[in-house]
Amino acid sequence: MRKFYFTIVALLFSAVAFSQGTITGTVVDSDGPLPGANVMVQGTSNGVATDFDGNFKIDVAANQGTLVVSYIGYISKKVSFTKTGAIGSIALEPNAEELEGIIVTGMQDVAKDRKTPVAVSTIMASDIQEKLGSQELPEILNTTPSVYATKSGGGFGDGRVNIRGFDTNNSAVMINGVPVNDMENGAVYWSNWAGLSDVTSAIQVQRGLGSSKLAVSSVGGTINVITKSSQNPEGGVIGATVGNDGYVKTLASYSSGVLDNGFSASMLLSRTGGSMYADGTDFEGYNYFMGLGYTAGDHSFEFMVTGAPQWHNQRGRATSISTQILYGDGDGEPNRKYNESWGYLDGEEFTFSGNYYHKPVISLNWSWDINDKTTLETSTYASFGRGGSLGEIGEIGGVRQFSLPRTSDGLVRVDDIRDYNSGIAVADFNNGNPREQIDGLFVNNSDLNANSDNTDGITRRSSLNSHNWYGMLANFNNRISDKLTLDFGFDIRTYKGYHYRRVENRLGGDVYQQTDDRNNPVGEGATNLFTETYSGSQPWWVFGDIDKQEKIDYYNIGYVNWLGAFAQAEYNFTEDITGFVQGALSNQGFAREELFGTAPPEKTDYENIIGGNIKGGLNWNIDEHHNVFANGGYYEKQPLFDAVYLNFGNNLNPDLTNEKVVGFELGYGFRSSKFRGNVNLYTTSWKDRFQSVTATFNADQPDEVRGTANLLGITQVHSGIEFDGRYQVTNNLSFSGMVSIGDWEYKDDVSATFFDNDQSPIVIDGVEQSQTLSLDGVKVGDAAQFTAFIGADYQIIDNLSVDLGYRHADNLYAQFDITSIDENGSLKLPSFGLADAGVSYGFAIGESRLSLRLNVNNVFDTTYIAESDTNDFVEAGDDTYDGINVSNRVFFGFGRTWNASFRVNF
């Protein structure tokens, strides 16, 4: 209906204009035509919209003048004409400030170009839809400064991302301004959000402390994913993608537009399935999104629900280079697809490492324009996460699953494990001895002492990490004058997390014996022989009762309450100088309930910890081309849950202290009709970190003890310089690039206190054992400290374009066991460079548009190490690969992959 009205109005404009001629042209961005862009004659109301091919035709009353071309999410452009006729292509560039035109109602923290004094990169929906393909959502950020995103184990949704050397446990991830980091450990599991790429309007990355008003712990930066709104224009999309290894994705969406009664709706459904690049990584995932909007006078409401139920098989851990070479083609090169976590059971793929989860998020956003100067925005939300991970538990003859003899191609012999568990002798399992029965049953368990010959059987278990999460955000915005704007608000959250294990498959065993619940101990009258199994492949229903599920190994509940308040003042000193200062104060309350480890079950009191931050910045637009900015801030960041209660018990940390974060940043920007560029310098100091890690005390000594180590007072300093830019050579050709150089190091030595596997302090001669670790000057691992990218986009002819990109990563160090650091420091991995390419073609079909896309990632099939879990240096006589000791457990990056897609917009 809106398109019909617009057409009638355009015709009336044409009829009344004193026409001297007609101008034709095409409006494009870096990826091709922009349908629906506005083309106006400056100083008049004469305007038209581009068609589905980006073409326009406008009658003008004079043979000279200026056209103003605009499109939501892009910088408006003025184009002069001195004659009528064809004017050619007009290229628009994305603009972060224009994001306000596409965001949903409710809380938002969007940085504005040449106004908000922070380092920021924004990826628009067009780039995500075109170039992401079958990659993980965080990987689209790899072309922005100081970001290192990998696929980790390579399972569906297993990607991870670091910003300026900090992982997402210590950087904020938000969806429409609502934080989604786990409230216990800060983690973000991208498999829970695998469908976000379908509904994303833009992703904005604010590096450093950022400008978010919320009391979020954004040490490295803030990733804000802005989803589609119910108020999208009327229309829809049907699309499909196919790729390597049987990857298939289908989707359909529709938006009603805003109806005459003020209501609007937007819906999307998609399914993705197949296998990832690595062997044994089958998966299936769905995505749904529904947005309902209503506008009445000064009030706007947006109700949204989105979720992505999925299951996927994984590579459970990194594998040594030597093993990957062993199962290669015999040419000394590693088998990059090798996965040690799977095999076949009765001819079907069976994994000992997988994940299944469903985490729907429901939100109601309300915006009230109280008057022309005052606005109240609120977001009320709830999340119900259900699911967990698959793994193995138990041993055969004292040997765990991953160390048992394998097939000739390195697969787990699952059929043989099932046979052994059911009493059949297997020649090379447990020295060929068959399994013994206990009271006529083949009993699986995890306690070596429960069976005299140490043959306790191997079981596939699920480790559950479910939660109920409720929250509310509110922001009161008051534009006191043309110069001063004040914001006040609060952030309330409550979280309850359930942690336990259950039996997923006994693999031939008759029962599973629970040996860890002190409230149901082994012995006469105990009811600890379980026969129930639970499938983890369909995690759709999130409201089921977990109380009656049979639990093994551990069962505890974590409670986190958060109450935060924030305020911000933004002041325009002049038309060109803008500054802000903001502060936040929060109380985080932590409690833990132990249902297995104590008899009777015990819940702690809440441990309340006060934290907060203060930060500010200033931006000066020197002229229309140049601007400079500076910002700084200080955080008192509450520790994560595992630092509050130690050693997997109700043991309150006696040395509990807030982490201290100090950050400073300077930036410079340049804007012209052809070139946009930014330079940023930053430094971030992060002190008083606590970390609990798996460790071995007196390794390789007669009194060796395996357990954990608690590390106190860790300090990291991350400094660097960043550059990014884009150059529009012609209307058809543009280049983009970035370079980031980081220097991320640990500072000062650290004290470690050791505990055994029973979580008791290791005591020798009456003295609790501790150790000073020489961390001063050691490089921070797990993210490349030097990254660079150069890309080119070229429109060959109307509707046909190609793009090429090359990314280089260097100064990448291993993610090491911090207790094993010696004089060698951290292991530097080989640098690598990857090339990607894509081609797009689109054309109109009636009033619809068909878009075709082909992506090829890692065009040259480069072999590279994306990450290492170990820190083994080369010693005399050691075998090496690319200069690295082959004993290191690493994940190689994916080889050449491809995907092809089509989309029909109607």
Side-chain angles (χ1 to χ4, degrees), residues 10-38:
L11 289 173
L12 290 174
F13 280 139
S14 299
V16 300
F18 181 72
S19 178
Q20 292 287 348
T22 300
I23 292 178
T24 62
T26 305
V27 180
V28 301
D29 68 357
S30 61
D31 297 311
L34 283 176
N38 295 314

Side-chain angles (χ1 to χ4, degrees), residues 497-517:
Y498 305 86
H499 315 291
Y500 59 96
R501 279 181 175 171
R502 65 190 187 190
V503 176
E504 204 274 340
N505 193 320
R506 295 190 306 277
L507 289 171
D510 294 320
V511 295
Y512 185 91
Q513 184 180 43
Q514 165 62 268
T515 60
D516 298 281
D517 185 359

Side-chain angles (χ1 to χ4, degrees), residues 600-715:
E602 177 182 284
K603 181 182 177 182
T604 69
D605 294 329
Y606 275 91
E607 179 69 18
N608 293 294
I609 308 172
I610 301 295
N613 66 68
I614 184 168
K615 55 187 175 182
L618 192 71
N619 180 80
W620 176 27
N621 292 331
I622 301 171
D623 55 31
E624 64 180 353
H625 298 300
H626 306 272
N627 76 290
V628 293
F629 72 83
N631 68 56
Y634 174 75
Y635 273 18
E636 285 261 354
K637 176 181 177 293
Q638 292 98 330
L640 298 176
F641 192 95
D642 287 346
V644 179
Y645 296 103
L646 302 180
N647 308 323
F648 310 105
N650 291 358
N651 310 302
L652 185 65
N653 186 348
D655 300 307
L656 203 57
T657 184
N658 279 346
E659 301 168 3
K660 282 74 172 182
V661 182
V662 178
F664 296 100
E665 188 167 18
L666 294 173
Y668 164 77
F670 178 82
R671 303 290 184 271
S672 72
S673 60
K674 292 284 188 180
F675 180 74
R676 298 164 56 88
N678 305 284
V679 179
N680 305 297
L681 294 91
Y682 68 89
T683 183
T684 302
S685 172
W686 186 16
K687 295 183 178 180
D688 290 334
R689 282 189 60 208
F690 174 90
Q691 191 174 2
S692 182
V693 298
T694 301
T696 301
F697 180 74
N698 282 348
D700 302 322
Q701 300 297 318
D703 54 352
E704 172 183 295
V705 181
R706 296 184 180 183
T708 59
N710 290 339
L711 313 177
L712 303 175
I714 301 173
T715 299

